Amino acid sequence: MRITTWNVNGLRAALAKGFIESVREMDPDILCLQEIKSRPEQIPAAAMQELTRLYPYQTWNPAERPGYSGTATLSRIPPERAATGLGSAEFDGEGRVVIHQSGALHLYNIYFPNGRNDLSRVPYKLDFYALLLEQCDRLHQAGQQVILCGDFNTSH
């Protein structure tokens, strides 16, 4: 199984720059997108039709705020269960998480919060990490497998 993760920094802009052609070349089974900055209905119809042809199983998690954040997982493989968010009102409005589960495997597509240059969102980011790690620990303790992918928004 080939999984590709990509921060597209705006899916509509990426579509105008050859996104679909690039995806065809990479040929992933599952495509995890971050910072989509759009809702499915905002994607041009022809592009959406082609994405759906390539990836019939799609889970979109756009942010409540227009033009901000958001994640989408596009798959050729049907998940047994798909979910959005971490189950916390504090974090889920920003559209940062899509989870696809198949059997004991949980694939998390995540656009992690940025701490900001002034460090004002570092506490928010650390709280997000803590909740995610709690969930992963519970899954591991239950014998489940977890794959985390996405934009970790972390640097030296």
Side-chain angles (χ1 to χ4, degrees), residues 129-140:
Y129 280 15
L131 180 58
L132 174 63
L133 289 174
E134 272 179 34
Q135 289 186 13
C136 292
D137 286 346
R138 276 196 308 271
L139 288 169
H140 284 138

Side-chain angles (χ1 to χ4, degrees), residues 48-74:
M48 193 63 184
Q49 184 176 12
E50 182 60 9
L51 287 173
T52 301
R53 187 187 72 73
L54 292 168
Y55 299 99
Y57 306 99
Q58 300 182 6
T59 306
W60 292 71
N61 190 12
E64 291 172 1
R65 183 172 125 196
Y68 180 72
S69 193
T71 50
T73 299
L74 314 179

Side-chain angles (χ1 to χ4, degrees), residues 45-124:
M48 193 63 184
Q49 184 176 12
E50 182 60 9
L51 287 173
T52 301
R53 187 187 72 73
L54 292 168
Y55 299 99
Y57 306 99
Q58 300 182 6
T59 306
W60 292 71
N61 190 12
E64 291 172 1
R65 183 172 125 196
Y68 180 72
S69 193
T71 50
T73 299
L74 314 179
S75 180
R76 294 182 180 143
I77 303 161
E80 290 174 19
R81 184 180 78 82
T84 58
L86 295 175
S88 167
E90 180 182 6
F91 303 115
D92 292 347
E94 294 188 0
R96 295 189 174 277
V97 179
V98 172
I99 307 161
H100 273 200
Q101 178 192 352
S102 293
L105 178 64
H106 301 257
L107 172 63
Y108 280 72
N109 172 15
I110 306 170
Y111 179 42
F112 287 85
N114 186 310
R116 291 196 179 143
N117 288 340
D118 67 1
L119 307 180
S120 63
R121 287 220 350 155
V122 168
Y124 179 86

